[in-house]
Amino acid sequence: MTVAGEGPPRDGLVRALSGCEVRDAPAGDAGPGTLVGYLAVFNEWSEINSAREGHFMERVAPDAFNRTLATSGSKVKVTFNHGHDPQLGDKVLGIPTVLQPDAHGVRYEVPLLDTSYNRDLAPGLKAGAYGSSFRFNVLAEDYNKRAKPSDYNPQGLPERTVRELHMPEFGPVTFPAYEGASAGMRSLTDRFYSFLPGVQAVAAPRAEEFLALIGG
């Protein structure tokens, strides 16, 4: 296990997957449909290259979400652009009816509330114009600072396996994962902070302190 302060930052992190789908409402239901997909994948190494987090390889263990879903799964919010969209703010898109891990990752189903803002979002979601992203804090990890080069890590970057995390919210985002990247999870932490008012003037080491002050 990692000694506190030895590895990358643990708080206020953001990861994204490409793609976000909406399943049409059943016949006779005039609602905007159901948001479906995966918010995370397990045991798939991804390269994290972030000004705030550093440069390393990361994967998420299959049990990483178990405690947060068991203890606070009903409180997880589904928002657009992590609740900081200029038009929607922190309006909830829907309440998850499915939010559970399987062999691949964490699968979700979120019937979209029948609101004007969801109706505005639905065409873009159905067209695949958005990605899916979640915000989290790392509670337990394994960190290998001196990893050797390998097929998945040819540069021999440090390696982090996230063993346990806390996730307060997830949802579709307009800012996608790195263009041209593989299908793995990517860091959107830098982009997320850049969208918060006033964050540009806050030094990276103090970013978590700033989020705490604004209730992020």
Side-chain angles (χ1 to χ4, degrees), residues 64 73 104 164:
H104 178 68
E164 184 181 341

Side-chain angles (χ1 to χ4, degrees), residues 52-132:
R52 295 178 183 274
E53 297 183 67
H55 194 190
F56 56 96
M57 301 296 294
E58 181 183 78
R59 65 178 176 178
V60 177
D63 295 337
F65 284 84
N66 286 4
R67 181 177 295 186
T68 189
L69 295 180
T71 60
S72 57
S74 62
K75 300 178 183 178
V76 175
K77 292 185 177 181
V78 183
T79 61
F80 184 59
N81 281 342
H82 296 289
H84 294 283
D85 183 76
Q87 281 74 46
L88 271 65
D90 62 356
K91 292 183 174 68
V92 174
L93 304 187
I95 306 300
T97 55
V98 174
L99 186 57
Q100 62 186 26
D102 60 21
H104 178 68
V106 179
R107 179 173 167 268
Y108 61 84
E109 293 187 12
V110 184
L112 297 172
L113 299 173
D114 193 0
T115 63
S116 59
Y117 58 82
N118 273 337
R119 290 185 178 279
D120 289 340
L121 279 179
L125 291 169
K126 291 179 180 180
Y130 302 118
S132 178

